[in-house]
Amino acid sequence: MTLPDGVERRSFGEKEGLATRGEPVYGEPTDGAWRRWDPRRSKLGAMLENGMETGLSGGETVLYLGAAAGTTVGHVADFASPTYAVEFAARPARDLLSVAESRRNLFPLLKDARKPETYAHVVEPVDALIQDVATRGQAKVALANRRFLREDGRLLMAIKARSEDVTADPDAVFETVLGSLEDGYEILETGPLAPFHEDHLAVVARPR
């Protein structure tokens, strides 16, 4: 597994972990300019810790769906180029704005990821579409936002089984969502996000 440029594995006291260079966001341990990327608070961080081939090399243009308070997208902006961060809820979006203050390449958008037409006039074509949304219809969101992804780009998605259907067996949910994704994506790799996140499946895909 190749880490993107700008992401390193470093020691923070007795703990070793992935790290990016940037202003701290959520009280994470630091080592000089480096800050630890906590995989228990980040689906993308867990994907990298679990050795998935994300296709990220550093310097990508990114559209991040479900940015919340900026925990993960702050790390992404540390090693990426322009990073568009879509968040629907006003309260976490205020924290996201604070994260963006020290990252001139991070552009928060208070928008609904289910309605990409509301931000299509802002977002340029991207190399990576990163999705971490807690809603039903997660495949529909990924398909709707496929319009922004370059032909050789990557979808990096965390499927949240309990957000899709709290009563269904997670494996059945994953199978259904993956089947829907194949309408617009070629699935390259999947993997559970355990032990960091239960009932989550990570997906790496490219547009068809």
Side-chain angles (χ1 to χ4, degrees):
M1 190 268 295
T2 303
L3 292 176
D5 288 343
V7 180
E8 293 186 5
R9 185 167 292 279
R10 300 178 70 89
S11 295
F12 296 87
E14 296 181 355
K15 285 189 175 182
E16 182 184 273
L18 300 176
T20 62
R21 295 172 66 97
E23 290 293 320
V25 171
Y26 51 97
E28 64 274 27
T30 59
D31 176 18
W34 292 87
R35 60 193 190 98
R36 186 171 183 269
W37 193 344
D38 186 350
R40 297 189 182 278
R41 300 186 61 167
S42 170
K43 313 306 186 305
L44 181 59
M47 291 175 70
L48 293 170
E49 282 285 6
N50 284 350
M52 296 189 72
E53 288 291 351
T54 63
L56 295 173
S57 59
E60 288 87 0
T61 301
V62 175
L63 173 60
Y64 193 105
L65 306 178
T71 299
T72 297
V73 77
H75 284 292
V76 172
D78 287 345
F79 67 83
S81 288
T83 302
Y84 301 92
V86 176
E87 175 52 44
F88 179 66
R91 177 63 188 90
R94 288 197 293 270
D95 294 331
L96 177 60
L97 287 171
S98 297
V99 176
E101 285 179 358
S102 61
R103 295 168 173 84
R104 297 181 64 182
N105 63 319
L106 178 56
F107 304 103
L109 300 170
L110 184 58
K111 299 291 184 180
D112 187 339
R114 296 170 295 184
K115 301 176 180 179
E117 66 276 7
T118 63
Y119 47 87
H121 62 292
V122 177
V123 178
E124 63 188 297
V126 300
D127 305 302
L129 173 61
I130 303 175
Q131 180 172 318
D132 181 13
V133 297
T135 185
R136 288 179 180 269
Q138 293 168 67
K140 187 175 180 180
V141 172
L143 291 167
N145 284 273
R146 179 183 172 278
R147 67 175 74 181
F148 301 109
L149 195 55
R150 299 183 191 276
E151 289 185 5
D152 58 349
R154 289 291 182 272
L155 168 70
L156 307 176
M157 177 178 177
I159 303 173
K160 304 181 179 188
R162 299 305 180 192
S163 295
E164 196 72 37
D165 188 337
V166 71
T167 64
D169 176 72
D171 288 339
V173 172
F174 298 148
E175 183 177 353
T176 299
V177 175
L178 289 173
S180 297
L181 277 176
E182 289 180 341
D183 288 342
Y185 291 96
E186 177 186 354
I187 308 299
L188 301 177
E189 184 179 1
T190 63
L193 289 182
F196 306 109
H197 305 275
E198 297 301 322
D199 299 330
H200 284 68
L201 184 75
V203 179
V204 180
R206 63 187 173 198
R208 290 188 182 279

